[in-house]
Amino acid sequence: MQIELTQFYIRLGAIGLIIALGFLLGKLKLISEKTNRELTNLLLVVFMPASLFAAFPTNYDEASAGIFFAGLAGGALVMLSLIMVSKLIFNSKLYKEKNLRYESQFALVFNNATFLGYPIVASTFGPQGILAYCGFIIAFNIALFSYGIWLFERKISWRLARSVILNPNIIAVLLGMVLFLLSIKLPDIVSDSVSYVGPATTPLSLICIGFMLSRAELLKIFKKWRLLLTSLVQLVLGPLITWGLLTLLKFPTEVIQVCALIQALPTATSLGLFAVKYGGNESESSELVAVSTLLSIGTMPLMMLLLF
């Protein structure tokens, strides 16, 4: 199955423009630090859960369920594998000295599966790809809102466990899964409301990233070789590990391709949002997202040509 790269470049270009808007708003001081933090909270509590919930179809059938659960299992295996690999690579002295090892581990494990992954998977693979994606995104979000938060807070606590159990994003994907499996259709007034709220996730998150970049020294970004190295490892090693692991275990072709495509996407914009919310390195986290996004313009088509 061939990847339609045109859609990828169109969406990546749109992402760049919205980030530039956030950057401009930050430079013009039309967004403050307080506003950015409030938008971050709204994204993680309201807008992102709505977009995840809306990703699920409502009509159940056995073949679709098989692809869905294969995507879930594949996602869990990919997350666990990348977590282990990230610890091996980014626990070196070089990353510890610059206080960037946890952000780098986050970058390798978590990419733009939510904000960029869904529209690209939908336009590339259609309904079957969406089912595999919905399964994957459950494993992704459970890992993101548990291990991803732990990387910044660095401790296991009841507060962390509660944040996983009660996290709106995890509740949204689990509820969406239940409604899908039971073929329950919500009243139009509810489904329409969710469909109106969810699409705000992408532009708002990118505006927040653009604002954080407005506080960084952009001219120095590409002189920071650790950011370049981290981005290249994430963009090349991530899809290679995913494709090799799932192919070895003989997962369905749709699941292998969807998961490999997702891992070829740039680092998650959530890295910058989490750095703000949970006390990470805000400046270099945003820079890492920017570098990864720019490099993916070249690495993504190369990985797709190699793997597909």
Side-chain angles (χ1 to χ4, degrees):
M1 184 181 296
Q2 294 295 316
I3 296 292
E4 179 50 64
L5 293 179
T6 302
Q7 290 298 318
F8 171 76
Y9 287 118
I10 290 173
R11 295 190 182 281
L12 198 60
I15 282 174
L17 288 176
I18 299 172
I19 289 176
L21 173 61
F23 181 86
L24 180 62
L25 292 174
K27 287 296 186 183
L28 294 176
K29 301 188 185 303
L30 294 176
I31 297 179
S32 66
E33 295 282 354
K34 179 181 177 183
T35 301
N36 187 57
R37 292 182 183 276
E38 290 172 343
L39 280 176
T40 298
N41 284 328
L42 282 174
L43 278 164
L44 296 176
V45 174
V46 178
F47 295 106
M48 192 183 295
S51 66
L52 294 172
F53 178 81
F56 285 90
T58 55
N59 296 322
Y60 173 83
D61 66 78
E62 189 172 343
S64 297
I67 294 295
F68 170 80
F69 284 113
L72 175 59
L77 289 172
V78 168
M79 290 294 101
L80 289 173
S81 299
L82 293 179
I83 286 172
M84 291 187 288
V85 171
S86 70
K87 286 181 175 293
L88 292 174
I89 295 176
F90 296 118
N91 259 335
S92 68
K93 183 179 179 181
L94 292 174
Y95 282 89
K96 290 179 181 179
E97 288 177 348
K98 293 297 182 180
N99 193 30
L100 194 61
R101 58 173 169 160
Y102 299 129
E103 285 81 358
S104 297
Q105 289 176 38
F106 186 104
L108 176 57
V109 178
F110 304 108
N111 53 38
N112 213 327
T114 300
F115 301 144
L116 183 58
Y118 178 80
I120 287 185
V121 169
S123 62
T124 305
F125 297 111
Q128 288 295 95
I130 291 296
L131 286 171
Y133 170 85
C134 287
F136 173 90
I137 209 67
I138 291 178
F140 178 90
N141 277 282
I142 289 175
L144 177 64
F145 291 100
S146 55
Y147 181 73
I149 294 174
W150 180 83
L151 274 175
F152 289 98
E153 296 201 328
R154 303 304 302 168
K155 60 183 179 181
I156 298 174
S157 63
W158 164 243
R159 177 172 172 268
L160 177 59
R162 184 177 59 186
S163 71
V164 175
I165 296 170
L166 300 180
N167 188 281
N169 297 274
I170 293 177
I171 292 173
V173 294
L174 292 178
L175 181 59
M177 178 184 69
V178 170
L179 295 182
F180 161 65
L181 293 176
L182 298 178
S183 294
I184 297 175
K185 189 178 185 304
L186 294 175
D188 288 343
I189 189 172
V190 176
S191 60
D192 286 351
S193 297
V194 174
S195 67
Y196 293 152
V197 173
T201 302
T202 297
L204 287 179
S205 67
L206 296 175
I207 286 173
C208 287
I209 294 299
F211 170 81
M212 287 184 277
L213 284 174
S214 73
R215 297 297 186 262
E217 299 181 61
L218 290 179
L219 294 178
K220 295 182 179 180
I221 287 181
F222 281 95
K223 294 181 180 179
K224 298 180 179 180
W225 63 268
R226 290 175 183 80
L227 298 182
L228 293 172
L229 178 60
T230 298
S231 297
L232 286 173
V233 168
Q234 178 253 320
L235 292 168
V236 175
L237 195 59
L240 287 176
I241 290 174
T242 300
W243 183 87
L245 176 65
L246 299 185
T247 299
L248 180 65
L249 296 175
K250 299 184 178 182
F251 272 73
T253 301
E254 299 96 324
V255 174
I256 296 173
Q257 292 186 337
V258 166
C259 291
L261 172 61
I262 290 172
Q263 295 307 320
L265 296 174
T267 295
T269 52
S270 302
L271 173 57
L273 302 179
F274 276 34
V276 171
K277 187 174 180 64
Y278 301 111
N281 188 328
E282 295 181 27
S283 176
E284 293 208 356
S285 291
S286 298
E287 292 171 350
L288 186 52
V289 172
V291 170
S292 177
T293 300
L294 292 173
L295 290 179
S296 70
I297 296 173
T299 60
M300 192 269 187
L302 290 176
M303 297 310 299
M304 294 305 99
L305 289 173
L306 176 64
L307 298 179
F308 294 8

